[in-house]
Amino acid sequence: MTNTTTGNESFNDSHALDPAASTATQETVSAEIAGVHDAYRAAVASGGAVETQPRIDFAPYRSSLLRHPTKSLHHADPETIELFSPAFGQRDVHALESDLTIQHNGEPVGERIVVTGRVLDGDGHPVRNQLVEIWQANAAGRYIHKRDQHPAPIDPNFTGVGRALTGENGEYTFTTIKPAPYPWKNHHNAWRPAHIHFSLFGTDFTQRMITQMYFPGDPLFGLDPIYQSITDPKAREALVATYDHAVTSHEWATGYRWDIVLTGSNRTWMENEEGDH
Amino acid sequence: MAPAPQVKLTATPGQTIGPFYGYALPYERDNELVNPSRTGAVRLHGTVYDGDGTVIPDALLEIWQADEDGNVVAQAGSLVRDGYTFTGFGRTAVDNEGNYTFTTLNPGATDAGKAPFIMLTVFARGLLNRLFTRIYLPEDTAALAADPLLASLDAADRGTLIATREADGALRFDVHLQGESETAFLSYPRS
């Protein structure tokens, strides 16, 4: 049992923070990814199921090796508490928290963007008045986090954390700065595609999820074991926002649209079933 | 029970919470569903381990539960606690040694004879999608024996879902993402 976050933390020794860090080359990791994807394609071609979620056992992402359950998930019929979600309101989230560019005295550096979209459930119904949280690196690829010691500048005018409540149609909008890619220690010369972390709640707590939104055309997609842990190309594309000129505003910000679909609610059909007794 | 109806849309894939959530998701008194001085306040605590039995210092846990009378509450204020309103939701990042603590209430049975449980969601660096499980209270052994989920598990898996009551009234619940003591994690219909 080791305390992994004490001592001198710097980017040069940050591999010590991650016991799964590796000196493997990108070629090695890319070949591992290709091997998993080839096997998946062959399985689908011979009638196997299409996958829509990431593999949790995905060796090219080294940190997953010891952190995924090896037994399959156990089916549970949701009961009471699992059919509801916590309620969030104006008391929890101030309207200004959705603008990440006004949290300090000055303007943050970088490309100002608006990211907007809807949160829907698996039946296509809007998820209303529910919490959306985001966090991200700045325009130089640096997080305001003590464990991010990558030598890129911190922006004193940008924290990179936002919150919003969805509206009547499940809509959300954030104003922020386009994040940059950043290096990490999964393998030698590993870089993450630029992304924004999204945390989402539904109407049922079983819909709770955290994911990452990416930007169209990122040249790092093919190299990234976290993105590629989703073996199905169509499922991967669901994490990529669309540039939308209708969201872009004159002389102010470029716009991206990204809708999020949660799993299906179980409350309605199970309640109806109870009524059928 | 009839099978769950098909969903119309494919769910967006999850991704790992990554290493840098610490400045974003935790908030003041996030793990205090009730004030520790309140009558009935209970400590729920434990440690998160990986497949080698090593503690995981970068996991985030969330709980969601009924109140002491088994009511599912619909109260805002989880993010801005007033110290009095029970919202049923809590969040905490584990410490450098993988330990977590919530201050909460013992959930009541939502229906007579039902085994009370707390819903737990696990996020971690290295974990590519969130995991769900249940933390059952150990006391009502008849209700536990009648619980459909517990009945569907073998003895070892069943044991991983039942918290231990400590001498001071605290509930202890460790999470093993992998390994011999691997926690039983759950999937739900329509996902």
Side-chain angles (χ1 to χ4, degrees), chain B residues 106-181:
Chain B
N106 287 309
T110 48
D111 290 296
K114 284 263 195 190
F117 66 85
I118 295 167
M119 202 175 168
L120 175 71
T121 309
V122 182
F123 305 92
R125 183 180 66 81
L127 178 61
L128 280 157
N129 214 348
R130 82 276 174 270
L131 294 170
F132 295 112
T133 192
R134 293 179 180 178
I135 302 171
Y136 284 89
L137 304 195
E139 282 81 16
D140 191 342
T141 49
L144 291 171
D147 184 85
L149 171 66
L150 294 177
S152 74
L153 303 176
D154 65 34
D157 284 340
R158 191 158 55 236
T160 68
L161 300 190
I162 302 171
T164 304
R165 184 74 68 181
E166 298 183 316
D168 62 357
L171 288 167
R172 168 114 200 160
F173 187 88
D174 291 337
V175 177
H176 295 265
L177 293 189
Q178 196 186 88
E180 225 169 87
S181 315

